[in-house]
Amino acid sequence: MADKFDVIVIGAGPGGYVAAIRAAQLGMKVACVEKWVNKSGKTVHGGTCLNVGCIPSKALLETSHKYVEARDDYSELGIEVSDVQMDVKKMMARKEKTVANLTGGISALFKANGVTALEGTGKLLPGKKVEVTGHDGNSETHEAENVVIASGSVPVEIPPAPLTEGLIVDSSGALEFQEVPKRLGVIGAGVIGLELGSVWNRLGSEVTVLEAMDSFLPVVDDQIAKETKKLLGKQGLDIRLGARVTGTDIKDSEVVVKYTDSNGEQEQTFDKLIVCVGRRPYTQNLLADGTGVELDERGFIQVDDTCQTNAPGVFAIGDVVRGPMLAHKGSEEGMMVADIIHGEKAQMNYDAIPSVIYTAPEVAWVGMSEQQAKKEGFEVKSGVFPFSASGRAMANNATEGMAKVVTDASTDRILGVHIIGQHAGELIAQGVIAMEFGSSAEDLALTCFAHPTLSEAVHEAALAVEGHAIHMANRKKR
């Protein structure tokens, strides 16, 4: 038996590394197990998010957005730029550098906080023991007072579109294209599919998004989702709803996709195909028999509201448990669990977790949509303010979108905040803070916002709940 720890964390993604650092800061002896290796064969921390998810995709999104701005929009601002070119290889090199900086930063933080980094694949054994199998195949068993499982998730694969090197890829493969495909197919109009589709659409691909569902972004407020589809369509994304993929064939280095829609059987040929139909929890070879940790019917580890499993002293956080598969949700669960292990009282407000789609414009929301609130039995009042009436948005040449505040009509309590527009992912934090403190729309309306800023749109939307928006004509309240 190797060293004994107060806490062993399995997985060094956004949930795991945060849990490990927090626990170490609280004075506990901590180890974190990670199996991820980079192209050089070196163990790297950060999980899916830093290596093939949030960070590299945002690097590509930002670069592609700046390219389109320079090519199409600068002249409106009086900036004359001719013959704008995109160097895809240089864009990819910058992405890799960003990833390397951040993953290296986590390794440095482990050292700074005294977290022991264990390299290899972790497996939970009975009695809160963790077996770590190194990349050389040798195993070592460690004992802990507490174990935190943060093994994350992996992309879902579908039988009609088996991954094929360089042609049919998942979200990770879509971050590795070395040239812009002329015709790009995307299966799935969720967050990942729309983000990746928009990257390559901006760089020149003809992008077709095939979504099996008949509704677009059903988790998003209807008004915001409708505006999102309109704006993305205007940019060139061909989003086809009710399109269920039934098969794929590889012919002459092209991908022939067969699908059915309301018009019957269809067929379309692409140069590349991205499969983005969701993610599933990663539990492969994670749990030995007899640990007491149970999985639900979808493969998620069962936990209570504080992320404790059925096995005493064993916790699970992030994508491997219920709730939205979001990096920041996993990080906050990691903080909560570390505090609980240390004997503190801690909990997480799952009603105030923000979501963001990093297209251009961005889409962000927190809390309930208008339709969800009505379904829950609330009498709803809402206020909407368009960015086209915002002075800062006009100055930024970014007038697309709106901010929306959804409230309980009887109490004025904010039930949800929804934004589509420039920097929506930053602006949504105002809604999160408001909901965290149980604010009413009146609270936001009485708050002084800096002028001129995009955040004034949130202020005006709160004012609009009672028909008191200043910088637009209000609808008469019945």
Side-chain angles (χ1 to χ4, degrees):
M1 185 74 66
D3 290 343
K4 182 171 182 178
F5 295 89
D6 296 316
V7 182
I8 296 179
V9 182
I10 301 176
Y17 82 73
V18 169
I21 290 172
R22 178 71 160 193
Q25 288 174 343
L26 293 171
M28 292 181 272
K29 185 179 179 182
V30 182
C32 187
V33 187
E34 180 54 65
K35 69 172 188 173
W36 200 298
V37 293
N38 61 17
K39 294 171 184 175
S40 303
K42 179 185 176 184
T43 297
V44 289
H45 302 111
T48 294
C49 176
L50 265 67
N51 288 281
V52 293
C54 323
I55 299 303
S57 64
K58 301 315 163 284
L60 299 188
L61 281 157
E62 187 67 17
T63 299
S64 63
H65 178 53
K66 288 186 185 304
Y67 166 69
V68 168
E69 274 195 316
R71 187 191 67 192
D72 299 342
D73 301 332
Y74 277 7
S75 59
E76 270 191 62
L77 307 177
I79 303 171
E80 295 302 329
V81 180
S82 61
D83 193 29
V84 178
Q85 299 292 318
M86 185 70 231
D87 187 331
V88 174
K89 287 183 171 58
K90 192 174 282 188
M91 176 180 74
M92 290 297 177
R94 176 183 171 272
K95 175 205 70 168
E96 295 293 341
K97 183 179 179 182
T98 303
V99 169
N101 286 342
L102 287 168
T103 55
I106 293 172
S107 300
L109 287 171
F110 275 3
K111 289 179 182 177
N113 288 280
V115 175
T116 299
L118 301 176
E119 299 183 2
T121 302
K123 183 175 187 177
L124 181 67
L125 307 178
K128 293 182 289 190
K129 294 181 178 68
V130 175
E131 179 186 74
V132 179
T133 304
H135 305 306
D136 58 4
N138 294 322
S139 298
E140 198 171 39
T141 300
H142 302 266
E143 194 173 353
E145 290 293 329
N146 301 275
V147 176
V148 180
I149 300 171
S151 52
S153 62
V154 292
V156 170
E157 296 181 27
I158 55 174
L163 301 186
T164 305
E165 182 69 32
L167 290 173
I168 303 177
V169 301
D170 58 16
S171 56
S172 300
L175 299 171
E176 299 296 332
F177 293 161
Q178 295 302 309
E179 57 183 28
V180 180
K182 186 174 187 304
R183 301 161 300 175
L184 176 65
V186 180
I187 302 178
V191 174
I192 299 172
L194 293 177
E195 288 184 358
L196 293 174
S198 70
V199 166
W200 296 107
N201 172 63
R202 289 180 206 143
L203 299 182
S205 294
E206 298 170 6
V207 178
T208 303
V209 182
L210 303 174
E211 170 55 55
M213 296 181 67
D214 293 318
S215 57
F216 180 71
L217 293 177
V219 297
V220 177
D221 185 89
D222 280 349
Q223 189 174 5
I224 302 296
K226 184 178 178 181
E227 183 72 5
T228 303
K229 189 172 186 295
K230 182 186 85 175
L231 292 176
L232 292 179
K234 189 177 168 185
Q235 292 172 15
L237 260 67
D238 182 0
I239 301 170
R240 303 179 187 177
L241 303 179
R244 184 175 296 277
V245 174
T246 57
T248 53
D249 289 317
I250 306 295
K251 293 180 180 177
D252 299 325
S253 297
E254 296 177 334
V255 185
V256 180
V257 177
K258 298 174 183 177
Y259 66 95
T260 60
D261 61 14
S262 57
N263 296 316
E265 294 185 1
Q266 308 290 337
E267 190 176 284
Q268 190 159 344
T269 301
F270 302 103
D271 298 297
K272 306 277 187 185
L273 179 67
I274 307 173
V275 181
C276 295
V277 294
R279 300 181 65 86
R280 60 178 176 81
Y282 185 82
T283 55
Q284 185 178 354
N285 299 321
L286 177 67
L287 306 170
D289 293 337
T291 62
V293 176
E294 296 180 10
L295 305 180
D296 69 14
E297 66 280 358
R298 294 187 299 157
F300 290 93
I301 293 177
Q302 291 187 326
V303 293
D304 64 14
D305 290 342
T306 56
C307 291
Q308 298 187 59
T309 70
N310 296 322
V314 179
F315 299 77
I317 61 174
D319 286 5
V320 81
V321 302
R322 78 288 178 270
M325 287 183 168
L326 298 169
H328 45 279
K329 173 256 196 185
S331 293
E332 290 304 312
E333 287 177 332
M335 298 273 279
M336 172 181 71
V337 164
D339 287 352
I340 289 171
I341 290 172
H342 191 247
E344 315 291 338
K345 293 188 184 300
Q347 64 180 33
M348 182 171 168
N349 183 1
Y350 285 94
D351 293 328
I353 300 174
S355 297
V356 185
I357 305 175
Y358 295 91
T359 47
E362 292 179 350
V363 184
W365 66 95
V366 62
M368 287 187 271
S369 64
E370 184 171 344
Q371 65 268 23
Q372 185 183 355
K374 289 176 178 177
K375 192 176 179 181
E376 294 282 333
F378 289 97
E379 183 184 347
V380 172
K381 288 178 79 171
S382 64
V384 177
F385 187 80
F387 280 105
S388 59
S390 160
R392 183 57 191 268
M394 290 182 203
N396 290 2
N397 195 31
T399 56
E400 294 175 327
M402 68 190 79
K404 180 174 184 177
V405 175
V406 178
T407 69
D408 177 352
S410 62
T411 65
D412 196 40
R413 182 169 65 90
I414 295 172
L415 301 176
V417 178
H418 310 267
I419 307 170
I420 174 172
Q422 186 183 56
H423 302 315
E426 309 293 338
L427 299 176
I428 198 61
Q430 296 170 144
V432 176
I433 293 168
M435 289 187 64
E436 189 65 38
F437 282 88
S439 300
S440 63
E442 184 184 34
D443 290 326
L444 274 183
L446 292 172
T447 301
C448 183
F449 286 65
H451 174 79
T453 60
L454 295 174
S455 64
E456 288 177 293
V458 177
H459 186 214
E460 292 272 9
L463 284 162
V465 170
E466 292 298 334
H468 294 157
I470 300 300
H471 293 93
M472 72 171 190
N474 293 276
R475 289 183 180 178
K476 291 183 179 179
K477 299 290 179 180
R478 294 177 181 176

